[in-house]
Amino acid sequence: MTRRDEIVRHAGELFRKKGYARTTVRDIGEKVGIQSGSLFRHFVSKEEILLAVMVKSIDDVIAVIKSELPKLETTSERLRTLIRIELCAILNQLGEGFILSVTEWDYLSDDGKAAIAPHVERYNAVWADILQEAQTSGLIRIDNSVLRELLRGATRHVPAWFDQDGPISLDQLVDAIFEMATVRQ
Amino acid sequence: MTRRDEIVRHAGELFRKKGYARTTVRDIGEKVGIQSGSLFRHFVSKEEILLAVMVKSIDDVIAVIKSELPKLETTSERLRTLIRIELCAILNQLGEGFILSVTEWDYLSDDGKAAIAPHVERYNAVWADILQEAQTSGLIRIDNSVLRELLRGATRHVPAWFDQDGPISLDQLVDAIFEMATVRQ
DNA sequence: GTCTATAAAGTGATAGAC
DNA sequence: GTCTATCACTTTATAGAC
């Protein structure tokens, strides 16, 4: 693992925990074990570190999706799995900063947004495909683009209240979201 | 309207638009039409301004709920209305910073959180009551505390994608959320 | 109650030695 | 490639005149 990777990993953890704005380059340096000034031999700016975290996280999650979904035979299974993967990603069991591409979007410069956009769009396309399938087969009840955003909001908010060691398991949470999204059949 | 009220109103608008962290006291002063230093004759700190925005917003929304819900006769109508009011609040058609009590929660000091908590709890209690009713009458399908958080996430995320002048009306959005939350009957 | 001016602290980023 | 040291700037908040 290169130093650059190491910085991305630690920065991702800090950004998630404290938010991008409240994480200083000194925090990142301390976590990595180097001085803050040394970070700038690896990245030209703090924003570039955020971008690297976002890109890696999104791409990691897409890779998992591409490897898992083709195995599944029904639309219902694919939708349920997609919900599960998004939840794992958001709960940081996959990648390290997936959620940041939603929560910290506004902190990016225009150039930064443009750099991330293709990755975000690839991820969105996966969801659009599955929801299109689900709508065609009558699995979901409401407009699929509206449903996508309602589900994105629901999953995005999960870290604020869900305790992985609490009374509800991750599987139960996936079931609840799937149940909410779909028609009872 | 007192100067204090004026500050709260303008600060709320800025906090919503740019976020608390990126809004400076200079921004607020400029908007109000006074120097930043003068703000501190009305509030002891920037955080106290945020607290005032939050408290006012939450209390305004609770007041609307208390005036509208008792008129309604069915659980279904009450739940739908509660969803509509939360959406209006989050879209800033009610109060000025309702959503801030969710999005900017982490920026509060411990004392700040303690000051807001009773107001948030009163709001949560309204939802808990209605969802309890809905669960008893079989209107909703999943655990009501889980459903509450899924819906809170869904509505909280709405400003990020919903355009009030776009193709979908607010009423249609309320319908979609209600449809998602409830059993088809 | 507002102004001007500034204190005190923190920020991202750079320079140059090693 | 990391260090030390620091620049240039921004931030919240204060002091004292009016």
Side-chain angles (χ1 to χ4, degrees), chain A residues 95-111:
Chain A
E96 258 126 20
F98 179 78
I99 199 177
L100 297 172
S101 58
V102 181
T103 57
E104 310 295 332
W105 182 259
D106 290 341
Y107 284 94
L108 294 175
S109 65
D110 288 345
D111 284 353

Side-chain angles (χ1 to χ4, degrees), chain B residues 13-30:
Chain B
E13 195 179 327
L14 288 166
F15 292 160
R16 279 183 344 241
K17 207 180 294 176
K18 311 182 22 166
Y20 175 71
R22 278 172 297 183
T23 301
T24 67
V25 293
R26 286 174 184 75
D27 293 334
I28 300 171
E30 189 181 356

